[in-house]
Amino acid sequence: MPVPLSYSYRNLLTRRMTTVLTAGGMSLVVFVFAATLMLAEGLRQTLVSTGSPTNAVVLRKGSETEVQSGIERSQASVMTTRPEIAVAPDGTAMAAREVVVLIGLPRASTGKISNAVIRGTDVKSLTLRPQVRLARGREPRRGSTEVMVGKNVAKGFTGTQIGDRLRFGKREWEVVGVFDAGNTGFSSEIWADADQVMRSFGRDAYSIVVAGLRDYGAYEAFRAGVEGDPRLTAETFRETRYYEKQSEMMAKFLRILGVSLTIIFSLGAMIGAMITMYSAVANRVPEIGTLRALGFGRGSILLAFLAESVFLSLLGGAMGLGAAAVLNFFTFSTTNFQTFSELAFKFALTGDIIMLSLGFSVFMGILGGLPPALRASRLKIVEALREA
């Protein structure tokens, strides 16, 4: 017959100090594990939410990012006449031709130079991005050297407040507004007039064309029409898929880093749990002998000590997740490896991360508690009772 689970639970309460210290070590491991996954998920969510599923992004074939892409004016004109593109109330196509360049700006926190994205926008750019709304000031006038900056740029870089002047592309640009794009990548960009940006940087080609489609199902026809046109050397993505691709390299790096750190820390946590459980076995040899004499088998003893270790690990897992949940209120800023530009995003705790973290804590508990549990189950009744 099995040993009641309450037996294992009460033994942890009896050794409160040891229980707290061991669970604390495990909580640190779970915290690192969960925080890394939250960072990667936050990056993914930020970039995916940047796009709209009914928008299509067209780049030059073979380009990985907007910065690398180049679309000639004549080609952009052909792309924006596709019948799959929605029509605005004024009768014009819901499409925008945009140019993307990188500039260096001093960070407000360190003074060091980091890359910021300048997006040269078209008349329909704001309409195609309904998540972008003006927070302060006003929108830049078309054809002028005025810019509006994302909220993360205004917060993270010096000289980006309303009324300040930025110098890039051999010209001075006045900041006239701050926009809020929520937790999307656009909040880390500076927007200006596309034609003015192209003149300032001596460019003759756009970076991308963004097309607002009639409906979700029109994408395949639009993609086939653009990629099959011999006049165009272009590649088409749903906007959500394009921005998701931008997160893959960085998210993979974060996961590998997190798993590596977790493995190192978890070895120490499992050794700590193992020492704790070995100590518990050594102090309770007579107790184990009594349980065996009462009819509890070796398997019941093994499961009882294993359950004690799992309880301990779940306590540590809950503590670690509780600490990691606080990170939801913080914003993290780093360089996106795909575009080499500064990107700010939040940690994101999801149900999958909670289950993975608790599962990992249970795994540590089983691995750390199994050797002591086996030792307890193999004690002979007579020798155990002799120590009573």
Side-chain angles (χ1 to χ4, degrees), residues 225-260:
V226 170
E227 294 184 1
D229 193 324
R231 295 170 296 175
L232 311 175
T233 53
E235 199 167 5
T236 307
F237 301 92
R238 283 196 190 275
E239 197 175 31
T240 47
R241 175 56 188 154
Y242 168 73
Y243 283 109
E244 184 178 19
K245 281 184 65 181
Q246 302 305 298
S247 72
E248 288 175 352
M249 184 183 296
M250 186 66 180
K252 184 177 181 180
F253 168 76
L254 290 173
R255 290 191 187 100
I256 292 173
L257 177 64
V259 170
S260 302

Side-chain angles (χ1 to χ4, degrees), residues 126-166:
L126 268 174
T127 309
L128 290 168
R129 277 61 176 261
Q131 68 271 47
V132 178
R133 61 179 183 81
L134 194 66
R136 303 194 306 274
R138 61 176 175 83
E139 295 177 19
R141 291 172 298 181
R142 307 307 305 178
S144 71
T145 55
E146 295 177 343
V147 301
M148 62 178 183
V149 302
K151 63 175 183 179
N152 292 331
V153 174
K155 187 187 301 181
F157 293 94
T158 58
T160 55
Q161 301 303 310
I162 294 176
D164 289 341
R165 291 184 174 273
L166 299 173

Side-chain angles (χ1 to χ4, degrees), residues 159-203:
T160 55
Q161 301 303 310
I162 294 176
D164 289 341
R165 291 184 174 273
L166 299 173
R167 182 160 187 83
F168 58 86
K170 300 179 182 179
R171 297 168 104 179
E172 278 196 347
W173 304 73
E174 184 183 358
V175 180
V176 296
V178 176
F179 65 88
D180 184 354
N183 295 322
T184 70
F186 293 134
S187 290
S188 299
E189 296 182 352
I190 300 172
W191 285 20
D193 180 78
D195 289 332
Q196 295 301 317
V197 172
M198 290 171 72
R199 290 194 189 100
S200 297
F201 286 92
R203 297 187 60 166

Side-chain angles (χ1 to χ4, degrees), residues 58-79:
V58 185
L59 296 88
R60 184 184 62 203
K61 193 164 188 172
S63 301
E64 291 292 327
T65 67
E66 298 164 300
V67 178
Q68 299 170 347
S69 177
I71 298 175
E72 295 177 5
R73 292 177 182 268
S74 58
Q75 292 180 326
S77 297
V78 172
M79 295 171 188

Side-chain angles (χ1 to χ4, degrees), residues 20 70 72 86 99 143 165 216 281 286 318 331:
V20 170
E72 295 177 5
V99 59
R165 291 184 174 273
Y216 185 84
V281 171
T331 298

Side-chain angles (χ1 to χ4, degrees), residues 281 288 292 296-305 370-381:
V281 171
I288 295 169
R292 291 295 313 281
F296 293 102
R298 293 181 185 275
S300 297
I301 301 297
L302 185 143
L303 288 175
F305 277 85
L370 188 58
L374 285 171
R375 183 178 183 279
S377 67
R378 289 171 180 170
L379 287 174
K380 295 180 181 179
I381 299 176

